[in-house]
């Protein structure tokens, strides 16, 4: 969804979840997502508990990318 001049993308999975320790020391796919978000200047939030994982990507300068 667009929020002002920013963009927020939220992905929710109601599977088994990811252990918090794995989120903090992520490798492979999660690390790639974090690195790509950083290259875009985006903020990435990963949250997980038993039965639910949410990944939120916020790009504050959406106007720059929408041209």
């Amino acid at each position: 969804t667009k929020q002002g001049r920013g963009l927020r993308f939220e992905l929710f999975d109601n599977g088994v979840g990811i252990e918090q320790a794995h989120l903090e020391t992520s490798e492979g796919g999660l690390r790639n997502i974090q690195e790509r978000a950083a290259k875009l200047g985006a903020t990435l939030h990963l949250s997980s508990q038993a039965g639910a994982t949410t990944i939120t990507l916020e790009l504050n300068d959406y106007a720059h990318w929408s041209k």
Side-chain angles (χ1 to χ4, degrees):
T1 61
K2 292 182 186 178
Q3 294 181 343
R5 297 183 63 101
L7 178 72
R8 179 184 172 115
F9 176 79
E10 189 168 278
L11 176 68
F12 176 78
D13 177 33
N14 62 350
V16 296
I18 302 172
E19 292 182 23
Q20 189 65 33
H22 184 70
L23 289 176
E24 295 169 1
T25 60
S26 64
E27 297 179 6
L30 290 177
R31 177 177 286 170
N32 288 339
I33 293 170
Q34 292 169 329
E35 289 174 359
R36 290 175 182 181
K39 285 181 182 180
L40 290 172
T43 304
L44 184 71
H45 302 280
L46 301 170
S47 173
S48 188
Q49 58 188 6
T53 300
T54 303
I55 299 175
T56 305
L57 177 81
E58 295 181 5
L59 185 59
N60 294 324
D61 188 11
Y62 178 75
H64 171 77
W65 297 99
S66 63
K67 294 179 182 177

